Amino acid sequence: MEYSGMALRVSLFLICVLYYVHGDLSYSVQEEMKRGSVIGNIAKDLGLEVGILSIRKARIKTVGSERRKYCDINLRTGDLIVAERIDRESLCGEKHSCVVKFELLFEAPLELHRITVQIQDINDNAPTFPKDIIKFEITESADKGARYRVNAAHDADIGQNGVQSYTLKRNDHFVFNIQTSSDGTKYGELVLEKELDREEQKEIKLLLSALDGGSPQRSGIVAIDVTVLDANDNAPVFSQAVYEASLPENTQIKTPVITVSATDADEGVNGEVIYGLGRVSDKSRKLFSLDRETGNIFVAGDIDFEEGSKYEIIIQAKDGFGISSDAKIIISITDVNDNAPVIVLKSLSNPVPENASPGTEVGLINVQDRDSEKNRKVRCSLQQHVPFKLIPSIKNYYSLVTTEKLDRELVSEYNITISAKDEGSPPLSSVKVVHISIADVNDNPPVFEDQSYSSYIPENNKPGHSLCSVKAHDPDWRQNGTVIYSLLPGEVNGAPVSSYLSVNGDTGVIQSVRSFDYEQLMSFKVDNAWLSYHIIKSTDPGIFKIDLHSGEIRTQRDISDSDNMKQNILVAEKAQTVI
Ligand SMILES: *[C@@H]1O[C@H](CO)[C@@H](O)[C@H](O)[C@H]1NC(C)=O
Ligand SMILES: *[C@@H]1O[C@H](CO)[C@@H](O)[C@H](O)[C@H]1NC(C)=O
């Protein structure tokens, strides 16, 4: 009974000891306080004499941590003191409430108290970014408003001591926004406010700061390096919109003419320029060649000023992706005196009658030179000592006219040399020989070799006896120079001459027709003769003239209205005796 009573008491006591837990003590302390800093006074808070603490061997044990002590009790003073560094961040991380629990034990009798110490945050951590440098590669073609995510800064502290705001150092292109994703995490983003241009700025360096709300305020900073990537947004640009070159004709093949040059501000393939021919005439394509890589233009064909004096070529510069631009090349060809004048006989009245009056136009000559300016100015001349001259007419025409009377019997043909010379340097010239023959006009009478012929024959001759032979010459041509002999009518002793003599018309041999009797006829004369014509009387002596030998009547001057309508001319025909 006794024992059982004892046992019950003991067990009750034990239960009382084990479960008799006095009310909690709670304190609050800032993290990072120095060792020995006083958190509160336990003896006072429990209403105990200070001396009791050491008598009852009071001690503190951290709940759940074997090694860490954090707090202790000063048995002499009854103070709860900081025993080692308390770092809220390592104890509680991001938890908003950071509480460390202790047990306070007394012996004799055994007694347990719970102590909770609230650890208060101090701003001992600065915001930090996950990396020191954030690198972005952004194409220059990115549109305004494009967003680039930046991981938020982290601050181990909590509440106001955590990250509160961000500032992006002023720059031309980006602003910074904070966004909250659907799961509540925060992130930042760079927003493109003004388009990029690699050709203007290849790299942009930004500084982003994260600020907390503690006091003093702490900040973290990150560099954001933006590399602007090339987009093929630039066409090649020629150094000139129009290139001009001048080239003498006949320039040798492969001679360089001009070099065009275009640059492209883009990078790599985007900026590699090759050249090509744009709009080009077939003719230009044959005459000029282009080096696609260097932009050099060469002569590739026969450059002839006379075929073309100006060429326009459109050149294209293309970058690696085919963006192109154009420039114009104007090539002027200068003339070289490479064409001799050409003399063309446009018309010629050939033969020219020998009676053509001085100043008669016998031919028309044209002179051409395919060159230009001075090189095509041509002087035309005729050799000297010929009865012809050139009279300049319209443009490059010349009349070939006679300068004096011609005489076929003196000169029957002319080979006249016309020369033409241009004013180029050196000058070029050419000659043309024009053959002119002179046509006959019957302007010479036959002339007997002798003034008179005498012949003696014995009487009683036989009829048909050859007495003599007469000979006359006429220098005219063919029938105009052919002499026919005849006897003029006349009488001898009352009988016609023809009853005594006859003459062979072709040969001029004179024969007797009958037998002569010396006693009747000692001698007689006959006349061979030519006819001559004279104007004896005319209404107006100044108008007409007559050819002495042919009897042809011509006017001597123009007939005008004042002259008589009717003109009477009396012509005498005279036979002159030669023999
Ligand atoms: C003119 O030229 C022709 C042809 O060359 C030649 O036969 C002729 O004899 C020349 N005449 C004169 C008068 O030189
Ligand atoms: C002879 O002269 C005349 C003019 O008097 C001329 O018309 C004719 O053609 C000439 N005959 C010859 C063969 O030259």
Side-chain angles (χ1 to χ4, degrees):
M1 187 70 191
E2 189 80 31
Y3 281 100
S4 65
M6 267 274 287
L8 183 68
R9 275 179 65 194
V10 167
S11 65
L12 276 175
F13 174 77
L14 279 174
I15 291 167
C16 284
V17 168
L18 287 173
Y19 292 101
Y20 178 72
V21 176
H22 291 265
D24 288 346
L25 295 172
S26 68
Y27 299 95
S28 165
V29 66
Q30 283 190 340
E31 60 171 329
E32 306 287 353
M33 296 294 278
K34 274 199 229 152
R35 283 177 71 171
S37 301
V38 176
I39 299 168
N41 192 286
I42 289 171
K44 193 175 144 206
D45 292 339
L46 289 176
L48 296 173
E49 293 281 331
V50 174
I52 296 293
L53 296 177
S54 46
I55 294 165
R56 291 185 64 184
K57 294 185 177 159
R59 63 180 190 272
I60 297 261
K61 185 180 178 298
T62 312
V63 175
S65 170
E66 286 305 316
R67 292 184 292 121
R68 295 285 181 172
K69 199 156 181 182
Y70 298 120
C71 292
D72 211 345
I73 186 165
N74 184 332
L75 292 178
R76 281 183 294 107
T77 61
D79 285 338
L80 181 69
I81 58 166
V82 173
E84 62 180 288
R85 179 183 168 221
I86 304 170
D87 177 16
R88 192 206 67 80
E89 284 75 30
S90 58
L91 268 173
C92 300
E94 289 178 15
K95 273 196 281 183
H96 268 255
S97 160
C98 185
V99 174
V100 183
K101 291 181 176 166
F102 301 94
E103 287 172 351
L104 172 66
L105 282 168
F106 293 98
E107 290 180 9
L110 193 61
E111 202 177 313
L112 177 74
H113 293 271
R114 282 185 185 145
I115 300 173
T116 57
V117 177
Q118 185 88 31
I119 311 296
Q120 291 172 351
D121 187 40
I122 63 164
N123 193 20
D124 57 345
N125 288 284
T128 54
F129 285 94
K131 290 177 181 172
D132 292 341
I133 297 180
I134 300 172
K135 292 191 172 176
F136 282 111
E137 291 187 339
I138 301 177
T139 170
E140 61 178 325
S141 60
D143 292 329
K144 182 177 171 178
R147 289 154 193 273
Y148 304 92
R149 187 166 172 147
V150 176
N151 286 330
H154 176 74
D155 191 321
D157 297 322
I158 54 165
Q160 277 297 113
N161 293 334
V163 177
Q164 297 298 312
S165 63
Y166 291 87
T167 52
L168 183 65
K169 202 178 153 208
R170 269 187 86 87
N171 71 93
D172 291 337
H173 294 279
F174 294 96
V175 293
F176 188 80
N177 279 345
I178 280 287
Q179 298 287 353
T180 308
S181 60
S182 53
D183 65 1
T185 56
K186 289 188 185 287
Y187 63 90
E189 58 186 18
L190 283 180
V191 181
L192 186 63
E193 268 226 322
K194 184 181 159 237
E195 279 97 346
L196 303 168
D197 183 0
R198 191 198 67 81
E199 290 70 36
E200 191 183 290
Q201 197 178 2
K202 276 198 267 197
E203 288 199 336
I204 299 170
K205 293 201 180 287
L206 303 171
L207 281 181
L208 179 65
S209 322
L211 303 166
D212 65 23
S215 172
Q217 192 174 50
R218 289 175 184 266
S219 64
I221 202 158
V222 67
I224 302 176
D225 288 357
V226 176
T227 305
V228 183
L229 297 181
D230 188 44
N232 192 18
D233 57 348
N234 288 282
V237 177
F238 277 97
S239 60
Q240 286 167 245
V242 178
Y243 294 86
E244 290 189 65
S246 172
L247 198 66
E249 63 173 325
N250 307 334
T251 299
Q252 285 205 327
I253 286 180
K254 291 195 175 139
T255 305
V257 179
I258 197 169
T259 302
V260 297
S261 152
T263 50
D264 188 306
D266 291 325
E267 248 182 354
V269 179
N270 291 343
E272 280 169 17
V273 176
I274 54 163
Y275 303 93
L277 293 176
R279 189 164 38 77
V280 173
S281 67
D282 288 349
K283 207 164 163 188
S284 306
R285 209 178 278 276
K286 281 179 193 150
L287 295 180
F288 302 102
S289 69
L290 167 73
D291 185 319
R292 291 167 59 82
E293 312 229 316
T294 61
N296 288 338
I297 289 163
F298 298 96
V299 174
D302 291 340
I303 308 282
D304 184 357
F305 175 83
E306 287 72 35
E307 290 290 313
S309 61
K310 200 172 210 184
Y311 295 93
E312 277 193 14
I313 298 174
I314 302 296
I315 296 276
Q316 274 188 343
K318 253 189 222 172
D319 67 23
F321 282 98
I323 297 188
S324 68
S325 58
D326 287 357
K328 189 195 269 186
I329 301 177
I330 300 173
I331 302 171
S332 311
I333 309 300
T334 52
D335 187 38
V336 166
N337 193 21
D338 60 346
N339 289 285
V342 177
I343 302 167
V344 183
L345 190 59
K346 286 287 182 186
S347 69
L348 183 68
S349 1
N350 197 19
V352 178
E354 59 179 324
N355 64 348
S357 51
T360 303
E361 183 182 281
V362 298
L364 189 63
I365 281 151
N366 180 243
V367 189
Q368 289 153 11
D369 191 311
R370 296 184 67 220
D371 293 318
S372 70
E373 314 225 324
K374 272 194 130 183
N375 295 339
R376 77 175 302 159
K377 279 198 179 156
V378 178
R379 268 163 220 255
C380 216
S381 62
L382 206 63
Q383 75 188 96
Q384 290 185 325
H385 312 302
V386 288
F388 298 95
K389 69 172 177 185
L390 287 175
I391 296 176
S393 175
I394 47 162
K395 277 192 149 184
N396 291 329
Y397 282 88
Y398 295 85
S399 298
L400 180 64
V401 297
T402 59
T403 54
E404 48 195 78
K405 283 195 154 186
L406 305 173
D407 187 352
R408 190 200 69 82
E409 287 71 36
L410 282 177
V411 184
S412 66
E413 61 174 355
Y414 292 91
N415 284 334
I416 57 174
T417 306
I418 299 169
S419 40
K421 189 178 183 183
D422 64 31
E423 291 183 16
S425 150
L428 294 176
S429 60
S430 59
V431 295
K432 186 173 190 78
V433 176
V434 178
H435 179 259
I436 294 174
S437 35
I438 309 301
D440 188 46
V441 167
N442 193 16
D443 56 353
N444 288 287
V447 174
F448 282 98
E449 282 178 349
D450 296 313
Q451 286 290 312
S452 65
Y453 295 85
S454 307
S455 179
Y456 301 89
I457 53 165
E459 61 179 331
N460 301 324
N461 61 306
K462 283 188 185 147
H465 182 90
S466 280
L467 295 174
C468 65
S469 173
V470 297
K471 186 86 186 157
H473 294 285
D474 186 323
D476 290 325
W477 184 243
R478 299 258 163 100
Q479 58 264 48
N480 290 340
T482 307
V483 178
I484 298 164
Y485 302 94
S486 62
L487 287 173
L488 287 177
E491 286 186 2
V492 176
N493 287 346
V497 167
S498 55
S499 63
Y500 289 88
L501 298 173
S502 73
V503 65
N504 184 314
D506 293 334
T507 61
V509 173
I510 294 171
Q511 291 176 320
S512 60
V513 173
R514 59 161 79 169
S515 174
F516 298 129
D517 182 354
Y518 178 81
E519 286 71 30
Q520 276 181 26
L521 183 70
M522 278 171 63
S523 69
F524 64 94
K525 285 184 181 174
V526 287
D527 304 333
N528 204 345
W530 47 274
L531 296 175
S532 67
Y533 300 91
H534 300 277
I535 294 175
I536 293 174
K537 197 178 164 190
S538 69
T539 315
D540 181 344
I543 295 182
F544 299 99
K545 68 173 179 183
I546 191 159
D547 189 278
L548 187 67
H549 305 297
S550 66
E552 192 178 63
I553 297 170
R554 288 171 177 256
T555 56
Q556 296 197 93
R557 63 164 172 86
D558 288 346
I559 297 174
S560 65
D561 293 347
S562 58
D563 290 320
N564 273 350
M565 291 280 284
K566 199 175 164 188
Q567 295 277 344
N568 291 319
I569 306 169
L570 187 62
V571 176
E573 188 185 70
K574 277 192 200 163
Q576 285 193 350
T577 311
V578 173
I579 297 176

